[in-house]
Each structure stands twice: as C-alpha cells, then as structure tokens.
Amino acid sequence: EVRELRAKGNIPGIFYSKDSNESIPFQVDKKHFKEALKSGANLFNISVGDSKQVVIFKDAQYHPVTDEILHLDFYGIKMDEVITVKVPINFIGQAPGVKDEGGVLNTALNVLDISCLPLEIPDFFEVDISNLNIGDAIRIGDIDFDDKFKSELSEDILIVSVTQPMKEEELAADTEDEE
C-alpha cells in the first residue's frame, strides 16, 4: 500500500494530537507538501475526517540515499494553547575573537526549544556574536527572550563560544642510531 501511495506521488503520514487517543493515517500530495514547505509557514490547515484541523509539521523520515520524504508526522494544536517547538538560531555579526585573534567559533546549538502560542512561533532567533573574544561564550541565560517566549532549556546550556585554536605539536622523533 505504502509503495503504491508513493508511486502515485503521495507521502504517507500520521496525524495525532494531545486530545486524541489514536493516531490517524493520512496521505498528502508530494507536490502540495513541497509548496507548503517553501511557503515558510509554521501552521497548516488539514482535513481530518469531516473536520478541519490546525497542525504543525512535527517530523519527517527521509530515504537514506535519495533524501526523498518517506513519512510525515503532523501534530494537531489549539490556537489558544502554548506549544513547544524547535526554532533555528541565526548567528549575526563577526566575533573579534575569530576575526582578529585567530580563535575558533564553536556552535553548540543550532536550534532552541521554546514554548509559545502557535501564532507567535518565530522563523528564527538571532544571536549576536559580534562581542565574543577568545574565551567568551553565550548561554541560554544570556538571551533576552520576549515575554511571549519561554525557553525550555536550562540557562546554563552553551549556545556558542570562541576558543583558542588547537595547536599542532610536532612529536620529536628520535633519529639517533643506537649502536
């Protein structure tokens, strides 16, 4: 069945929500799904049985070789309830510790887990690295979140840092002949 769906240009998936006791299988036209992803939308309206449902794209399984989408998970939400989502981080600026001091920029996180209302989901969070010298770091607690967002991560978790470059040490080979 699943191969037949894919051969016809459809992607199989599962719909579930906090309120439902079961997951509901569905299919979506591959072309329509790709257009929806390109739109940059975080929320989608789908038909579930006889009703319309607002969902977020929760997960996808990809083919290991072709990167083709094999399966989708959509999660049903209510517009007036807070949800937890992953939001990408965009690093802005140039760190003087890298540019001027020869340090290395180490990014520990590329996404933030935040809670907010569905209509408040940002496309990304900007983290300014333009004040980072060697030895400096930015942690979750250093980010000034708007009141409509709540981080789900500990304030101590590292986002980005600038460190000394690793030095290559030449091992002195013993070239003396023992006689």
Side-chain angles (χ1 to χ4, degrees), residues 35-108:
E35 288 172 7
L37 278 183
K38 285 181 186 176
S39 75
N42 293 316
L43 307 175
F44 303 97
N45 290 311
I46 64 169
S47 296
V48 179
D50 295 335
S51 65
K52 296 275 187 193
Q53 179 69 45
V54 178
V55 298
I56 59 171
F57 172 66
K58 198 68 169 173
D59 193 23
Q61 294 173 1
Y62 295 90
H63 188 279
V65 175
T66 64
D67 272 347
E68 184 177 336
I69 297 174
L70 299 176
H71 189 271
L72 298 169
D73 288 356
F74 284 148
Y75 184 72
I77 59 169
K78 293 183 179 175
M79 298 305 287
D80 60 349
E81 288 184 7
V82 171
I83 59 173
T84 300
V85 293
K86 293 184 179 304
V87 177
I89 299 171
N90 281 357
F91 296 101
I92 59 171
Q94 284 190 322
V98 174
K99 188 173 94 176
D100 302 329
E101 302 171 31
V104 177
L105 186 71
N106 296 307
T107 55

Side-chain angles (χ1 to χ4, degrees), residues 42-43 56 77-83 85 87 114-125 146-150:
N42 293 316
L43 307 175
I56 59 171
I77 59 169
K78 293 183 179 175
M79 298 305 287
D80 60 349
E81 288 184 7
V82 171
I83 59 173
V85 293
V87 177
I114 61 149
S115 293
C116 64
L117 289 171
L119 286 176
E120 301 293 339
I121 299 172
D123 293 330
F124 55 86
F125 277 105
D146 192 311
D147 289 341
K148 58 189 171 188
F149 306 117
K150 179 181 178 247

Side-chain angles (χ1 to χ4, degrees), residues 14-57:
I14 295 290
F15 163 81
Y16 57 98
S17 70
K18 183 174 82 172
D19 299 332
S20 68
N21 293 332
E22 59 185 49
S23 54
I24 301 169
F26 71 89
Q27 63 186 9
V28 63
D29 180 88
K30 187 186 306 184
K31 182 179 175 186
H32 290 140
F33 181 71
K34 286 183 178 181
E35 288 172 7
L37 278 183
K38 285 181 186 176
S39 75
N42 293 316
L43 307 175
F44 303 97
N45 290 311
I46 64 169
S47 296
V48 179
D50 295 335
S51 65
K52 296 275 187 193
Q53 179 69 45
V54 178
V55 298
I56 59 171
F57 172 66

